[in-house]
Amino acid sequence: MIFARRAGLPGVDAENPIALTVTGRVSRAVVPELCAELERALTDPRGAAPAPGTVVDCDVGGVVRPDLALVDAVARLALVARRSGRTLRLRRVPPELRALLELVGLADVVALAQEPEERVPGPP
């Protein structure tokens, strides 16, 4: 499992420097590390916090076998983001994770980014 703060995540607003990438298999043991990483990302190195209301982008496209441990991680990351006045937005969400989030009722709590290939074309 790898998680990192990244700059330049495709599709992320340049004014929003908060971006996490989670890959591999997520176990319950690494959830506290993920939350600590997000808390560090929410505080600027100079000690200043980003403006409230900004979105925290979390790329989960590289996760292996999404399960309830990943759902737990997402719920806790969303809580960390909310405590600081921000919203967690998942990007590149695998269909299995999307289904699990809907099953446990978190699809309404966590923003799920609609990727370009998922967008439904409008009327001509």
Side-chain angles (χ1 to χ4, degrees), residues 26 28 31 39 47 49-50 57-58 74-75 78 86 90 92 95-96 104 108 112-113 119-120 123:
V26 177
R28 292 188 191 276
V31 173
E39 287 172 351
D57 282 307
C58 184
V74 166
R86 288 147 187 96
L90 299 180
R92 297 180 39 205
E96 300 89 352
V104 299
D108 296 333
L112 303 176
R119 291 195 178 127
V120 178

Side-chain angles (χ1 to χ4, degrees), residues 35 39 42 76-87:
C35 291
E39 287 172 351
L42 290 170
R76 290 174 187 261
L77 289 171
L79 184 60
V80 170
R82 278 186 187 235
R83 285 182 182 156
S84 66
R86 288 147 187 96
T87 302

Side-chain angles (χ1 to χ4, degrees), residues 12-116:
V12 176
D13 185 357
E15 294 179 14
N16 176 18
I18 306 169
L20 293 170
T21 301
V22 181
T23 61
R25 180 80 191 235
V26 177
S27 69
R28 292 188 191 276
V30 300
V31 173
E33 291 177 56
L34 285 168
C35 291
E37 177 67 23
L38 179 56
E39 287 172 351
R40 284 190 295 274
L42 290 170
T43 304
D44 188 62
R46 297 174 301 270
T54 58
V55 175
V56 175
D57 282 307
C58 184
D59 182 347
V60 292
V63 254
V64 178
R65 294 190 319 185
D67 58 10
L68 290 177
L70 179 58
V71 170
D72 180 44
V74 166
R76 290 174 187 261
L77 289 171
L79 184 60
V80 170
R82 278 186 187 235
R83 285 182 182 156
S84 66
R86 288 147 187 96
T87 302
L88 183 71
R89 176 173 55 196
L90 299 180
R91 293 191 166 274
R92 297 180 39 205
V93 183
E96 300 89 352
L97 177 57
R98 202 175 280 272
L100 283 171
L101 291 171
E102 288 175 9
L103 180 69
V104 299
L106 284 177
D108 296 333
V109 176
V110 177
L112 303 176
Q114 193 172 26
E115 303 303 326

